[in-house]
Amino acid sequence: MVAAAGAGIYFWTGRPQQVRAPEVVVAARPLPEAAPAPPDPVPPEPAAPAAPSPAAASAVVVVDVGGKVRRPGVFTLPAGSRVTDALRAAGGIRPGTDTTGLNRARVLTDGEQVLVGLPAPATASTGGAVAGAGGSGAGIPGPPGPATPLSLSTATVEQLDALPGVGPVLARHIVEHRTEHGGFRSVAELRDVNGIGERRFADLAPLVRP
């Protein structure tokens, strides 16, 4: 009976069984292609330096300060500067200089000349570059130029002091010599004044008359 039961189990398990066909596998959808990466940005070209504007170029004025100042020379000042700024840049006016008529509030122009205590050149004009006596009014009124020489017989100490190379001391010597000798009969008599040598006489002769 055991053998019969074993044979029955053997034949039962070995019988043919129905096999199911495998399910159809659906093809997978292709993945979307990745969008191409944007190209590297091109760096902007450096901007060219801007050319200086006319306003920036005219932001300064260059003036020549001469005469009876402590440090004569050429100075660069901000646009809109006045005569007093130019005098300050030149170290100020020397002591004893007559400042009557000096317009320190006048606005400077580029390229002009400020003469302090010296006779202005005969060609100086109101709109010219010279700003001394007889010019645009920035300097100190002094004796006339070579076209109208200063009279040695009537000039005051202040007028003589304004002559080039003549200070207050020498101006007083000229007046004292005139008083002692009853005036000047000729320009050559200036050589007799204490303190006037040949070189200084040569500078003064065209500017004076007896």
Side-chain angles (χ1 to χ4, degrees), residues 173-182 184 189 192-193:
H173 287 173
I174 295 174
V175 173
E176 292 170 359
H177 183 277
R178 179 179 67 194
T179 302
E180 295 175 1
H181 296 82
F184 287 88
E189 293 182 9
D192 300 331
V193 177

Side-chain angles (χ1 to χ4, degrees), residues 2-160:
V2 174
I9 293 173
Y10 174 79
F11 284 108
W12 176 260
T13 57
R15 77 182 188 282
Q17 297 180 1
Q18 185 178 0
V19 179
R20 296 179 60 186
E23 296 180 359
V24 178
V25 179
V26 181
R29 294 181 181 179
L31 295 176
E33 296 182 0
D40 295 337
V42 179
E45 296 183 0
S53 62
S58 60
V60 297
V61 291
V62 180
V63 295
D64 180 9
V65 184
K68 297 188 176 183
V69 292
R70 289 188 173 91
R71 295 191 304 271
V74 178
F75 302 94
T76 300
L77 303 173
S81 297
R82 301 178 183 270
V83 172
T84 184
D85 300 316
L87 296 177
R88 188 181 302 111
I93 301 174
R94 284 188 286 176
T97 302
D98 183 12
T99 59
T100 303
L102 175 63
N103 182 9
R104 305 187 190 203
R106 188 181 61 79
V107 177
L108 297 167
T109 59
D110 184 55
E112 77 169 271
Q113 184 182 41
V114 179
L115 296 179
V116 181
L118 297 181
T123 57
S125 60
T126 302
V130 177
S136 62
I140 299 172
T148 53
L150 179 68
S151 174
L152 293 172
S153 299
T154 60
T156 63
V157 172
E158 291 75 16
Q159 290 175 318
L160 293 169

